[in-house]
Amino acid sequence: MTTQPPQLSANHPIGRVFATESNPNTPDTFNFWTDLNSPVGIGTIIKVTVKQPSARNFGNKTAEQWDIYGIVVEAKGYTDLASALHDYIGADQDPELADQAPTLRPEIRAFKAAVLRMEPEEPLQPVPIGPVYLADDDAVLTSLRMDEYVNKDRGIPIGVYVKGGMNSPIYLDHQFLLGPEAAHLNITGVSGLATKTSLVEFLLKSIFTHYYPEDDDRGVAAVFFNVKGPDLLYLDLPPVDSGVLTEEELAVYDKLGIPPKPFENVQYYAPYKADGYNLNTLRTHPDLMENVFPLQWGLKEIFEHTEVLLNRDDVDAKADAVLSLIEEKVVRKRDPNYTLGVTVTDFHHLETWFSRVIEEMEMEGKKEWHSHHIATLYKVRNRLMNITTRCKGLVANNDAISDLPWGNFHKNHIYVVDVANLEPLAQDLVFTRIVSKIRELLEKNALGVERVVIFVDELNKYAAADGGDTYLKRTLLDISERGRYLGEVLFSAQQFRSQVHKRIVGNCATGLYGRMDMDELATPGYSTLSAAVKTKLATLPKGELMVRHPHFTQPVFLRFPRPSVMRGQDGRNMYPPIQDMSFEEAMVWRLRRLDRSLSAPKIKAAIAGINPDDVLGRVNEIEQQQPDDVLKELTNKLKGMPTRSNGNGHGLKVTPIFTLDDDENPYDVD
């Protein structure tokens, strides 16, 4: 007859505390044993309840029971066997005969637990001998001190605790996740198995749902930097195929009060490719282009970040002084004593200004201009004018700007900036300027939202501990150290936490750990974890994480469902990016975004024979102005523009092979 394991519940003891002289209990840790059929394992939260000794009630205390909450950190099992040789002889040297022994040796499961909380907390004493129970939802809430903020509507669900057959919600305190008490979150784990990006997407959905949902003035927006292929390019689309949520995952969403839907408000930004008119992103399928916008900056936007673009070993203090003069007297305030009659608004005008300054010096035989040597001016000129070549597609020669909606950020909106296909120098510029601009507007309370979550993946690359000092690393460090006061919150991820700048990860109040590499776990940063916890971290399945949070006295393991968004590779397969468009096709597409009724043949006729750079400049202006009659505005702006020459100085007019009717549109982007 088979013995059935007992049905366990929070009211049924699963073990008992014990203590020996060689293995005593302390106020921090205690030992207990359980039945062999017990569901207790590493990471299980348990509760010890005994009658409150009268002597512990002092002052006005009237507690009737003493509750001790703990989490299992070590496990071992043993019998009364003194030596393995005894068992070997007792089985007649045959493993098959061992189970036929007339008397089975008693076996014990013994566990060591770290104390999470005591109620009452004073006086702090060793854990007493008493029955051990599995923690239920209320006990989990109390043991992790989540009751202190969940009851004040500050809880942000991050997943569920599933040990011991439980399914209890785990909450983070938004004052310690988003500020102002503490802030920032860091995720580490091996690539592909730690589900770092999935956790950020799920957690952000939870934040959007639970952070002051009824108060429009207490808003959170997010800026995501997409640095890996199609990873973050389909956040507004539902999952498909194997990405569809299971019934179990939907149940978790329901328990945590989070709608299992994709993000409703997402805008995507990407620079142009070097040609200046094809977007440098994988999200170019016609069905998905409605919320995709170009990212292009001019001289004013990047001038204060020239340090990112210029070689610091090449630009000395003298060149720095010239750069400061140009920014202060020529670009920003436009002092007539320095501008020489040139209004510098873009790189074309800057080149004109340099030419005029140098020409004036040469004509007058001067070697210095406002105490700056001509050689330094030449040097700065060469470095600045080279920026548009090195960052072509992102930095424009003209003043046609396409940027994030500064001052008009909205609650629960995500702004995805795709830098996956950019060169490292351009990536650094994008990161630095956007993060700096967010901080600047938050300081002025002029961004449009109270707080902004900035997600940066691959921190091992951008803030390496052993790398040189870079402008981007200093920017990330500045966010981590004082961003919580401003509402600038850093969510970051990497494979190896030990190889990231210590002050950046050290300032992250919340730490998440997915599947870990054993070499990483052997580094000093994980020395406080027990060997059993390290082994568990090295074997964690997808969807499980260990979390550290200021309110939790010990790390806790939890499970979270996959985000209800389309995975990057699924999106790329379902919505493959289109081939690069010709110049004419690109102009048709851009103008028809402003007015869907425009005829492609009419647009192509209006730009025929005109220099593409001139056309591109006028189209950029129209996109910024958004006039009522787009085609009329285009025609007026192009009127009088020189046409392309056939080599003899005469305008070259090409007669079309055939003429399309107005209602025919071979380049329809509907």
PDB file of all heavy atoms in Angstrom, residues 69-96:
ATOM      1  N   TYR A  69      10.056  34.817  10.319  1.00  0.00           N
ATOM      2  CA  TYR A  69       9.992  34.487   8.893  1.00  0.00           C
ATOM      3  C   TYR A  69      11.413  34.258   8.380  1.00  0.00           C
ATOM      4  O   TYR A  69      12.333  35.011   8.716  1.00  0.00           O
ATOM      5  CB  TYR A  69       9.335  35.615   8.102  1.00  0.00           C
ATOM      6  CG  TYR A  69       7.944  35.968   8.581  1.00  0.00           C
ATOM      7  CD1 TYR A  69       7.756  36.930   9.576  1.00  0.00           C
ATOM      8  CD2 TYR A  69       6.832  35.337   8.051  1.00  0.00           C
ATOM      9  CE1 TYR A  69       6.485  37.256  10.023  1.00  0.00           C
ATOM     10  CE2 TYR A  69       5.547  35.663   8.494  1.00  0.00           C
ATOM     11  CZ  TYR A  69       5.385  36.615   9.487  1.00  0.00           C
ATOM     12  OH  TYR A  69       4.125  36.928   9.927  1.00  0.00           O
ATOM     13  N   GLY A  70      11.573  33.227   7.584  1.00  0.00           N
ATOM     14  CA  GLY A  70      12.897  32.923   7.055  1.00  0.00           C
ATOM     15  C   GLY A  70      12.838  32.429   5.620  1.00  0.00           C
ATOM     16  O   GLY A  70      11.770  32.081   5.102  1.00  0.00           O
ATOM     17  N   ILE A  71      13.993  32.375   4.984  1.00  0.00           N
ATOM     18  CA  ILE A  71      14.106  31.858   3.621  1.00  0.00           C
ATOM     19  C   ILE A  71      15.248  30.848   3.588  1.00  0.00           C
ATOM     20  O   ILE A  71      16.325  31.084   4.148  1.00  0.00           O
ATOM     21  CB  ILE A  71      14.334  33.006   2.608  1.00  0.00           C
ATOM     22  CG1 ILE A  71      14.323  32.464   1.185  1.00  0.00           C
ATOM     23  CG2 ILE A  71      15.611  33.780   2.895  1.00  0.00           C
ATOM     24  CD1 ILE A  71      14.264  33.571   0.129  1.00  0.00           C
ATOM     25  N   VAL A  72      15.017  29.722   2.942  1.00  0.00           N
ATOM     26  CA  VAL A  72      15.984  28.627   2.935  1.00  0.00           C
ATOM     27  C   VAL A  72      17.180  28.990   2.067  1.00  0.00           C
ATOM     28  O   VAL A  72      17.024  29.379   0.898  1.00  0.00           O
ATOM     29  CB  VAL A  72      15.327  27.327   2.426  1.00  0.00           C
ATOM     30  CG1 VAL A  72      16.364  26.207   2.329  1.00  0.00           C
ATOM     31  CG2 VAL A  72      14.190  26.920   3.358  1.00  0.00           C
ATOM     32  N   VAL A  73      18.383  28.847   2.639  1.00  0.00           N
ATOM     33  CA  VAL A  73      19.604  29.176   1.902  1.00  0.00           C
ATOM     34  C   VAL A  73      20.549  27.978   1.774  1.00  0.00           C
ATOM     35  O   VAL A  73      21.451  27.986   0.939  1.00  0.00           O
ATOM     36  CB  VAL A  73      20.356  30.350   2.569  1.00  0.00           C
ATOM     37  CG1 VAL A  73      19.543  31.631   2.462  1.00  0.00           C
ATOM     38  CG2 VAL A  73      20.690  30.041   4.023  1.00  0.00           C
ATOM     39  N   GLU A  74      20.350  26.954   2.600  1.00  0.00           N
ATOM     40  CA  GLU A  74      21.173  25.755   2.505  1.00  0.00           C
ATOM     41  C   GLU A  74      20.306  24.533   2.796  1.00  0.00           C
ATOM     42  O   GLU A  74      19.311  24.620   3.533  1.00  0.00           O
ATOM     43  CB  GLU A  74      22.345  25.794   3.505  1.00  0.00           C
ATOM     44  CG  GLU A  74      23.401  26.838   3.197  1.00  0.00           C
ATOM     45  CD  GLU A  74      24.559  26.791   4.180  1.00  0.00           C
ATOM     46  OE1 GLU A  74      24.652  25.790   4.935  1.00  0.00           O
ATOM     47  OE2 GLU A  74      25.358  27.738   4.205  1.00  0.00           O
ATOM     48  N   ALA A  75      20.677  23.380   2.233  1.00  0.00           N
ATOM     49  CA  ALA A  75      19.932  22.141   2.450  1.00  0.00           C
ATOM     50  C   ALA A  75      20.905  20.972   2.510  1.00  0.00           C
ATOM     51  O   ALA A  75      21.925  20.963   1.817  1.00  0.00           O
ATOM     52  CB  ALA A  75      18.920  21.931   1.327  1.00  0.00           C
ATOM     53  N   LYS A  76      20.568  19.992   3.335  1.00  0.00           N
ATOM     54  CA  LYS A  76      21.382  18.786   3.414  1.00  0.00           C
ATOM     55  C   LYS A  76      20.504  17.633   3.898  1.00  0.00           C
ATOM     56  O   LYS A  76      19.448  17.843   4.520  1.00  0.00           O
ATOM     57  CB  LYS A  76      22.575  18.981   4.348  1.00  0.00           C
ATOM     58  CG  LYS A  76      22.220  19.434   5.758  1.00  0.00           C
ATOM     59  CD  LYS A  76      23.473  19.775   6.555  1.00  0.00           C
ATOM     60  CE  LYS A  76      23.094  20.326   7.930  1.00  0.00           C
ATOM     61  NZ  LYS A  76      24.292  20.716   8.714  1.00  0.00           N
ATOM     62  N   GLY A  77      20.924  16.428   3.602  1.00  0.00           N
ATOM     63  CA  GLY A  77      20.209  15.251   4.054  1.00  0.00           C
ATOM     64  C   GLY A  77      21.201  14.207   4.536  1.00  0.00           C
ATOM     65  O   GLY A  77      22.289  14.077   3.976  1.00  0.00           O
ATOM     66  N   TYR A  78      20.840  13.447   5.597  1.00  0.00           N
ATOM     67  CA  TYR A  78      21.755  12.426   6.095  1.00  0.00           C
ATOM     68  C   TYR A  78      20.962  11.378   6.875  1.00  0.00           C
ATOM     69  O   TYR A  78      19.770  11.567   7.194  1.00  0.00           O
ATOM     70  CB  TYR A  78      22.861  13.039   6.957  1.00  0.00           C
ATOM     71  CG  TYR A  78      22.391  13.861   8.127  1.00  0.00           C
ATOM     72  CD1 TYR A  78      22.188  13.273   9.374  1.00  0.00           C
ATOM     73  CD2 TYR A  78      22.167  15.231   7.994  1.00  0.00           C
ATOM     74  CE1 TYR A  78      21.771  14.023  10.455  1.00  0.00           C
ATOM     75  CE2 TYR A  78      21.742  15.984   9.071  1.00  0.00           C
ATOM     76  CZ  TYR A  78      21.546  15.387  10.297  1.00  0.00           C
ATOM     77  OH  TYR A  78      21.126  16.125  11.368  1.00  0.00           O
ATOM     78  N   THR A  79      21.626  10.251   7.165  1.00  0.00           N
ATOM     79  CA  THR A  79      21.048   9.168   7.968  1.00  0.00           C
ATOM     80  C   THR A  79      21.922   8.947   9.196  1.00  0.00           C
ATOM     81  O   THR A  79      22.863   9.719   9.446  1.00  0.00           O
ATOM     82  CB  THR A  79      20.986   7.871   7.140  1.00  0.00           C
ATOM     83  OG1 THR A  79      22.326   7.413   6.898  1.00  0.00           O
ATOM     84  CG2 THR A  79      20.287   8.102   5.797  1.00  0.00           C
ATOM     85  N   ASP A  80      21.632   7.866   9.926  1.00  0.00           N
ATOM     86  CA  ASP A  80      22.451   7.558  11.106  1.00  0.00           C
ATOM     87  C   ASP A  80      23.692   6.754  10.751  1.00  0.00           C
ATOM     88  O   ASP A  80      24.378   6.224  11.627  1.00  0.00           O
ATOM     89  CB  ASP A  80      21.621   6.789  12.141  1.00  0.00           C
ATOM     90  CG  ASP A  80      21.120   5.459  11.593  1.00  0.00           C
ATOM     91  OD1 ASP A  80      21.276   5.221  10.371  1.00  0.00           O
ATOM     92  OD2 ASP A  80      20.563   4.659  12.375  1.00  0.00           O
ATOM     93  N   LEU A  81      23.985   6.700   9.451  1.00  0.00           N
ATOM     94  CA  LEU A  81      25.137   5.935   8.982  1.00  0.00           C
ATOM     95  C   LEU A  81      26.438   6.622   9.406  1.00  0.00           C
ATOM     96  O   LEU A  81      26.641   7.803   9.134  1.00  0.00           O
ATOM     97  CB  LEU A  81      25.076   5.815   7.459  1.00  0.00           C
ATOM     98  CG  LEU A  81      25.972   4.775   6.794  1.00  0.00           C
ATOM     99  CD1 LEU A  81      25.531   3.368   7.194  1.00  0.00           C
ATOM    100  CD2 LEU A  81      25.915   4.931   5.282  1.00  0.00           C
ATOM    101  N   ALA A  82      27.312   5.836  10.072  1.00  0.00           N
ATOM    102  CA  ALA A  82      28.586   6.408  10.518  1.00  0.00           C
ATOM    103  C   ALA A  82      29.619   6.409   9.415  1.00  0.00           C
ATOM    104  O   ALA A  82      30.504   7.262   9.369  1.00  0.00           O
ATOM    105  CB  ALA A  82      29.112   5.635  11.731  1.00  0.00           C
ATOM    106  N   SER A  83      29.526   5.415   8.507  1.00  0.00           N
ATOM    107  CA  SER A  83      30.509   5.304   7.438  1.00  0.00           C
ATOM    108  C   SER A  83      29.852   4.662   6.228  1.00  0.00           C
ATOM    109  O   SER A  83      28.954   3.811   6.360  1.00  0.00           O
ATOM    110  CB  SER A  83      31.706   4.462   7.896  1.00  0.00           C
ATOM    111  OG  SER A  83      32.518   4.097   6.804  1.00  0.00           O
ATOM    112  N   ALA A  84      30.291   5.048   5.056  1.00  0.00           N
ATOM    113  CA  ALA A  84      29.762   4.432   3.838  1.00  0.00           C
ATOM    114  C   ALA A  84      30.076   2.943   3.786  1.00  0.00           C
ATOM    115  O   ALA A  84      29.347   2.153   3.173  1.00  0.00           O
ATOM    116  CB  ALA A  84      30.344   5.136   2.615  1.00  0.00           C
ATOM    117  N   LEU A  85      31.136   2.515   4.470  1.00  0.00           N
ATOM    118  CA  LEU A  85      31.508   1.106   4.478  1.00  0.00           C
ATOM    119  C   LEU A  85      30.435   0.252   5.143  1.00  0.00           C
ATOM    120  O   LEU A  85      30.170  -0.871   4.722  1.00  0.00           O
ATOM    121  CB  LEU A  85      32.847   0.926   5.196  1.00  0.00           C
ATOM    122  CG  LEU A  85      33.418  -0.493   5.233  1.00  0.00           C
ATOM    123  CD1 LEU A  85      33.675  -0.999   3.815  1.00  0.00           C
ATOM    124  CD2 LEU A  85      34.699  -0.524   6.060  1.00  0.00           C
ATOM    125  N   HIS A  86      29.792   0.792   6.170  1.00  0.00           N
ATOM    126  CA  HIS A  86      28.733   0.051   6.861  1.00  0.00           C
ATOM    127  C   HIS A  86      27.579  -0.259   5.906  1.00  0.00           C
ATOM    128  O   HIS A  86      27.012  -1.347   5.923  1.00  0.00           O
ATOM    129  CB  HIS A  86      28.227   0.844   8.060  1.00  0.00           C
ATOM    130  CG  HIS A  86      29.265   1.050   9.112  1.00  0.00           C
ATOM    131  ND1 HIS A  86      29.104   1.933  10.162  1.00  0.00           N
ATOM    132  CD2 HIS A  86      30.504   0.500   9.287  1.00  0.00           C
ATOM    133  CE1 HIS A  86      30.178   1.920  10.930  1.00  0.00           C
ATOM    134  NE2 HIS A  86      31.046   1.056  10.418  1.00  0.00           N
ATOM    135  N   ASP A  87      27.183   0.717   5.117  1.00  0.00           N
ATOM    136  CA  ASP A  87      26.093   0.505   4.159  1.00  0.00           C
ATOM    137  C   ASP A  87      26.511  -0.491   3.082  1.00  0.00           C
ATOM    138  O   ASP A  87      25.710  -1.312   2.620  1.00  0.00           O
ATOM    139  CB  ASP A  87      25.696   1.840   3.528  1.00  0.00           C
ATOM    140  CG  ASP A  87      24.362   1.760   2.809  1.00  0.00           C
ATOM    141  OD1 ASP A  87      23.369   1.355   3.455  1.00  0.00           O
ATOM    142  OD2 ASP A  87      24.306   2.096   1.612  1.00  0.00           O
ATOM    143  N   TYR A  88      27.748  -0.417   2.680  1.00  0.00           N
ATOM    144  CA  TYR A  88      28.279  -1.324   1.654  1.00  0.00           C
ATOM    145  C   TYR A  88      28.231  -2.772   2.143  1.00  0.00           C
ATOM    146  O   TYR A  88      27.777  -3.674   1.439  1.00  0.00           O
ATOM    147  CB  TYR A  88      29.714  -0.902   1.325  1.00  0.00           C
ATOM    148  CG  TYR A  88      30.446  -1.801   0.351  1.00  0.00           C
ATOM    149  CD1 TYR A  88      30.071  -1.861  -0.985  1.00  0.00           C
ATOM    150  CD2 TYR A  88      31.522  -2.569   0.779  1.00  0.00           C
ATOM    151  CE1 TYR A  88      30.762  -2.683  -1.876  1.00  0.00           C
ATOM    152  CE2 TYR A  88      32.211  -3.390  -0.099  1.00  0.00           C
ATOM    153  CZ  TYR A  88      31.828  -3.441  -1.434  1.00  0.00           C
ATOM    154  OH  TYR A  88      32.501  -4.256  -2.317  1.00  0.00           O
ATOM    155  N   ILE A  89      28.632  -2.999   3.396  1.00  0.00           N
ATOM    156  CA  ILE A  89      28.617  -4.353   3.964  1.00  0.00           C
ATOM    157  C   ILE A  89      27.182  -4.808   4.214  1.00  0.00           C
ATOM    158  O   ILE A  89      26.803  -5.955   3.964  1.00  0.00           O
ATOM    159  CB  ILE A  89      29.443  -4.397   5.259  1.00  0.00           C
ATOM    160  CG1 ILE A  89      30.916  -4.107   4.944  1.00  0.00           C
ATOM    161  CG2 ILE A  89      29.300  -5.750   5.954  1.00  0.00           C
ATOM    162  CD1 ILE A  89      31.783  -3.974   6.180  1.00  0.00           C
ATOM    163  N   GLY A  90      26.331  -3.896   4.713  1.00  0.00           N
ATOM    164  CA  GLY A  90      24.951  -4.244   5.012  1.00  0.00           C
ATOM    165  C   GLY A  90      24.167  -4.664   3.791  1.00  0.00           C
ATOM    166  O   GLY A  90      23.192  -5.413   3.887  1.00  0.00           O
ATOM    167  N   ALA A  91      24.556  -4.174   2.610  1.00  0.00           N
ATOM    168  CA  ALA A  91      23.874  -4.536   1.358  1.00  0.00           C
ATOM    169  C   ALA A  91      24.534  -5.721   0.683  1.00  0.00           C
ATOM    170  O   ALA A  91      24.223  -6.009  -0.481  1.00  0.00           O
ATOM    171  CB  ALA A  91      23.862  -3.333   0.419  1.00  0.00           C
ATOM    172  N   ASP A  92      25.424  -6.405   1.390  1.00  0.00           N
ATOM    173  CA  ASP A  92      26.156  -7.547   0.806  1.00  0.00           C
ATOM    174  C   ASP A  92      26.830  -7.156  -0.511  1.00  0.00           C
ATOM    175  O   ASP A  92      26.868  -7.950  -1.456  1.00  0.00           O
ATOM    176  CB  ASP A  92      25.218  -8.737   0.586  1.00  0.00           C
ATOM    177  CG  ASP A  92      24.826  -9.393   1.902  1.00  0.00           C
ATOM    178  OD1 ASP A  92      25.593  -9.228   2.877  1.00  0.00           O
ATOM    179  OD2 ASP A  92      23.758 -10.023   1.946  1.00  0.00           O
ATOM    180  N   GLN A  93      27.268  -5.929  -0.555  1.00  0.00           N
ATOM    181  CA  GLN A  93      28.021  -5.415  -1.701  1.00  0.00           C
ATOM    182  C   GLN A  93      27.200  -5.401  -2.993  1.00  0.00           C
ATOM    183  O   GLN A  93      27.747  -5.399  -4.089  1.00  0.00           O
ATOM    184  CB  GLN A  93      29.306  -6.235  -1.907  1.00  0.00           C
ATOM    185  CG  GLN A  93      30.160  -6.349  -0.660  1.00  0.00           C
ATOM    186  CD  GLN A  93      31.324  -7.287  -0.818  1.00  0.00           C
ATOM    187  OE1 GLN A  93      31.793  -7.508  -1.935  1.00  0.00           O
ATOM    188  NE2 GLN A  93      31.811  -7.836   0.283  1.00  0.00           N
ATOM    189  N   ASP A  94      25.862  -5.466  -2.843  1.00  0.00           N
ATOM    190  CA  ASP A  94      24.980  -5.500  -4.016  1.00  0.00           C
ATOM    191  C   ASP A  94      23.948  -4.371  -3.879  1.00  0.00           C
ATOM    192  O   ASP A  94      23.098  -4.406  -2.982  1.00  0.00           O
ATOM    193  CB  ASP A  94      24.275  -6.844  -4.106  1.00  0.00           C
ATOM    194  CG  ASP A  94      23.471  -6.984  -5.399  1.00  0.00           C
ATOM    195  OD1 ASP A  94      23.279  -5.946  -6.077  1.00  0.00           O
ATOM    196  OD2 ASP A  94      23.030  -8.103  -5.698  1.00  0.00           O
ATOM    197  N   PRO A  95      23.958  -3.345  -4.755  1.00  0.00           N
ATOM    198  CA  PRO A  95      23.005  -2.230  -4.645  1.00  0.00           C
ATOM    199  C   PRO A  95      21.550  -2.681  -4.704  1.00  0.00           C
ATOM    200  O   PRO A  95      20.674  -2.064  -4.091  1.00  0.00           O
ATOM    201  CB  PRO A  95      23.362  -1.332  -5.835  1.00  0.00           C
ATOM    202  CG  PRO A  95      24.742  -1.705  -6.213  1.00  0.00           C
ATOM    203  CD  PRO A  95      24.907  -3.147  -5.870  1.00  0.00           C
ATOM    204  N   GLU A  96      21.277  -3.792  -5.432  1.00  0.00           N
ATOM    205  CA  GLU A  96      19.896  -4.236  -5.567  1.00  0.00           C
ATOM    206  C   GLU A  96      19.346  -4.818  -4.273  1.00  0.00           C
ATOM    207  O   GLU A  96      18.132  -4.882  -4.078  1.00  0.00           O
ATOM    208  CB  GLU A  96      19.787  -5.256  -6.693  1.00  0.00           C
ATOM    209  CG  GLU A  96      20.101  -4.676  -8.072  1.00  0.00           C
ATOM    210  CD  GLU A  96      19.912  -5.699  -9.176  1.00  0.00           C
ATOM    211  OE1 GLU A  96      19.559  -6.850  -8.850  1.00  0.00           O
ATOM    212  OE2 GLU A  96      20.097  -5.337 -10.352  1.00  0.00           O
TER     213      GLU A  96
END
